Amino acid sequence: LALEYHQRSDVIAIETGDKHFRINNISGTAVIYLFLGDFPKALEYATRCLSLAEEIESKDGIAGGLSMIATTYVAIGDYAHSLDIFSRSLAIAEEIDALDKVGWCLGNIGTAYMALGDHDRELEYKTRALGIAEEIGDKVTVAGVLNNLGALHLGLGNFATAQDYLDRSLSISEETGSVRYSTGAKFNIGRIQHKMGILEGAYQTYIEVLNQRRDVLLTKLDVAEVLIALGDVVLDLGRAQEGLKFLEEALDFAEKMGDKGNILIAHKQLAAAHSKVGDSARAYLHLTMHYALKDEIFSEESKKNVEKFNMRVAIANKERDAELARLRAERAERDLSNSTLHLLAQTE
């Protein structure tokens, strides 16, 4: 229905010649395809959005189009490429003071760093994204970023801090009616249960999240990660064949979507699962495929691209600090001059 609405709206926009409306409409279509897990279509529409924005020189549209393309690359698992595009989108968004787009970029840059294992930068960018979402009163985004921060602390083993972030995320998600972010918070709460040995509770939580994503949200996005989690917890419950079935389903699902991040994890977990049941041949096969894909994702070229992004950010920060120092110096000089004139006037 949402796609049908956007298609009909696009026809109207073409007939009226309203290109700004078309940009918003095409961008919305890209978001829907991303949510449905159709990454090629998401990239197609995001690229069309960018082209039209460049044609009419709409900086807001250009920032949005670049951001949508970069977000899709994060979902695919091409993190280095996403960072390069996000840097361009972020620069334009900051230039035009589009805080919603700045926050979106910061949050997704944090997600890319999460996948790259750079948790210090992940925390930095997600904290900045949370600050902006709170500043502009965007409760839905606040819930999403709180969930991401909860996942970050969960990965670092800070369970109490993670639980606090996730409880806040879940509360705001339910208040705003955001099923997407409420299922995200529930999923990570399930991960805490799993880590703490509450296996049956984690299993039930994962099943609830899986059903909500498939039957309520009707999305393919993030389904593979739930299937992987289900496979892991079922294996820990001692149900080996059922666990393998979940993991195989996750791998098949991720491969059909082109989701490299979850393909990588699924191969690793399948290697461990087959090793546990004594099938060393299959374990070796999945481990080999895991490392081959890991080399592809985290290649030397990718690492260089990430370092280039980090260097650009560092240079931009230095330039901004220098500009702030210059402005402060000018203000101090102006204040001193005004004070001197005031004193002279009093003397006279």
Side-chain angles (χ1 to χ4, degrees), residues 109-293:
I109 289 170
T111 299
Y113 275 124
M114 174 193 70
L116 293 166
D118 190 337
H119 299 304
D120 289 338
R121 285 194 172 96
E122 177 192 358
L123 179 60
E124 174 195 342
Y125 279 93
K126 287 182 177 177
T127 301
R128 288 170 62 191
L130 178 61
I132 288 177
E134 289 177 332
E135 179 185 340
I136 63 178
D138 184 350
K139 286 189 173 183
V140 173
T141 300
V142 167
V145 181
L146 286 171
N147 175 49
N148 290 337
L149 286 166
L152 167 61
H153 284 285
L154 168 58
L156 296 173
N158 305 326
F159 297 153
T161 304
Q163 187 72 53
D164 178 59
Y165 276 117
L166 295 171
D167 287 342
R168 289 163 61 194
S169 174
L170 184 58
S171 175
I172 296 171
S173 297
E174 291 176 341
E175 176 193 334
T176 57
S178 174
V179 179
R180 178 188 175 191
Y181 288 133
S182 69
T183 59
K186 287 176 185 176
F187 173 69
N188 284 313
I189 289 170
R191 290 176 61 207
I192 292 177
Q193 292 173 316
H194 192 175
K195 292 278 188 181
M196 297 182 71
I198 309 170
L199 302 183
E200 190 58 42
Y203 173 76
Q204 293 299 332
T205 301
Y206 291 151
I207 288 292
E208 179 188 353
V209 171
L210 182 65
N211 290 337
Q212 285 186 317
R213 285 183 176 172
R214 280 181 161 170
D215 302 333
V216 179
L217 290 174
L218 303 176
T219 181
K220 294 179 181 179
L221 195 64
D222 300 327
V223 167
E225 71 172 2
V226 187
L227 291 169
I228 291 170
L230 273 167
D232 288 344
V233 78
V234 167
L235 282 164
D236 288 342
L237 284 165
R239 306 201 296 264
Q241 292 308 312
E242 185 184 352
L244 282 168
K245 183 179 177 182
F246 276 123
L247 291 173
E248 291 287 359
E249 184 181 355
L251 177 60
D252 181 61
F253 199 91
E255 286 180 334
K256 285 177 179 176
M257 291 179 62
D259 180 355
K260 291 182 182 179
N262 279 312
I263 294 171
L264 187 72
I265 297 169
H267 276 306
K268 183 180 180 181
Q269 299 309 99
L270 277 164
H274 282 296
S275 179
K276 187 178 287 188
V277 299
D279 191 340
S280 56
R282 284 185 179 274
Y284 178 75
L285 174 65
H286 283 291
L287 199 60
T288 301
M289 295 177 78
H290 166 79
Y291 281 113
L293 183 57

Side-chain angles (χ1 to χ4, degrees), residues 81-96:
H81 199 178
S82 74
L83 285 175
D84 180 58
I85 299 172
F86 268 130
S87 69
R88 293 159 58 193
S89 177
L90 182 59
I92 297 170
E94 288 179 330
E95 178 190 341
I96 62 176

